[in-house]
Amino acid sequence: MRNLPSKFVSPSVTIRVAGSLSQGHLAYLDQLVSSAIDCALWPLLDLAHLEELDRAALMYLAGGEGRQFGVVGCPNFIREWMQHEKDRQAA
């Protein structure tokens, strides 16, 4: 997947992720993100209705946020878990 910083792409597309997100969904989600980038769109993942995710999905979100996609509407429990993982990796 290519890295495309958001500052170089003004138009965006929102990808809504709801319910649960697990490792089995990541290939499809990554395909959507890649397709948006190929179309010169900055992908925004709307997580407002995401209720559960596994660690693989969390690591995908934490690793790609700000580099491959933006995250909007992120529930607090996900934001806190992502921050915890980023802090843990930095230590």
Side-chain angles (χ1 to χ4, degrees):
M1 170 175 283
R2 286 172 278 207
N3 288 338
L4 191 60
S6 63
K7 63 184 174 185
F8 297 120
V9 180
S10 45
S12 65
V13 62
T14 301
I15 302 167
R16 289 185 170 82
V17 182
S20 66
L21 181 63
S22 66
Q23 185 173 10
H25 301 116
L26 296 181
Y28 180 66
L29 181 57
D30 195 52
Q31 182 181 19
L32 292 173
V33 168
S34 293
S35 293
I37 292 170
D38 288 345
C39 293
L41 299 170
W42 177 244
L44 294 173
L45 302 185
D46 182 348
L47 307 179
H49 299 287
L50 185 59
E51 298 171 2
E52 65 178 311
L53 71 165
D54 64 11
R55 190 166 194 284
L58 179 90
M59 298 310 289
Y60 176 84
L61 295 174
E65 182 180 24
R67 293 181 201 65
Q68 296 152 339
F69 51 80
V71 173
V72 296
C74 189
N76 285 337
F77 81 95
I78 296 172
R79 178 62 61 201
E80 290 170 5
W81 192 12
M82 284 173 44
Q83 189 58 51
H84 173 75
E85 289 297 328
K86 287 178 183 179
D87 292 346
R88 195 175 79 127
Q89 287 181 350

